[in-house]
Amino acid sequence: MIRKIQHIGVAVRKLDDAIPFYRDVLGLELAGIEEVAEQKIRAAVFRVGESTIEVMESTSPDGPVGKFLDKNGEGIHHLCFMVDDAAAALSRAKEKGARLIDETPRVGVHGMRIGFLHPKSTFGVLTEFAQEGDGHQ
Ligand code: CO
């Protein structure tokens, strides 16, 4: 059901300050920069083999990443698993006792269908499921 780690989400205060580290120091390929209005973020996606790292800045202090930065500072924000069917993965997790943030999938970076499990029921790691959407490149 889970096929791979799709991406790791990293929260930073200023995307433009963080990009040179991933691109120049680590030498990763920058696949693109995208704003996701619904999540109030701007994200740079770096390819790491079959997975990516999504480096995110908040576009609004009241967004989820803005609140995370206030509380925790910069750092790893979430772990995302690729699944064949995000809706099925969410309902299965709920059935098995996990608390959901998203009862049904919504649209994330690259048009993927995504949904989050609450970190209180995942031992502190905000966990995301992602299914490739129609807009995926
Ligand atoms: Co994500």
Side-chain angles (χ1 to χ4, degrees):
M1 175 150 214
I2 287 177
R3 292 199 281 139
K4 64 175 183 181
I5 290 176
Q6 209 286 335
H7 63 268
I8 295 167
V10 174
V12 300
R13 297 215 179 268
K14 289 184 103 181
L15 194 54
D16 290 343
D17 290 350
I19 284 172
F21 170 72
Y22 289 93
R23 186 192 55 204
D24 305 330
V25 179
L26 297 184
L28 298 175
E29 178 198 346
L30 175 57
I33 296 177
E34 189 174 340
E35 186 159 344
V36 184
E38 199 206 1
Q39 290 179 55
K40 297 179 179 173
I41 58 160
R42 199 163 73 97
V45 178
F46 293 91
R47 257 190 255 287
V48 185
E50 290 198 344
S51 302
T52 63
I53 295 180
E54 280 181 19
V55 184
M56 308 172 291
E57 73 177 0
S58 183
T59 54
S60 164
D62 68 347
V65 171
K67 286 179 187 163
F68 175 91
L69 286 166
D70 266 358
K71 201 172 156 198
N72 306 290
E74 296 177 308
I76 291 180
H77 178 263
H78 68 274
L79 185 58
C80 177
F81 295 105
M82 174 164 285
V83 295
D84 297 322
D85 182 336
L90 288 170
S91 44
R92 181 177 185 277
K94 187 181 182 179
E95 197 182 289
K96 300 283 184 188
R99 193 170 138 198
L100 305 185
I101 291 176
D102 300 301
E103 293 287 329
T104 54
R106 54 198 163 98
V107 175
V109 172
H110 284 327
M112 291 186 295
R113 289 162 59 76
I114 61 141
F116 286 96
L117 306 184
H118 198 286
K120 285 217 165 102
S121 67
T122 60
F123 301 88
V125 178
L126 177 60
T127 300
E128 177 181 13
F129 292 138
Q131 169 190 351
E132 287 185 4
D134 296 338
H136 188 79
Q137 300 297 316

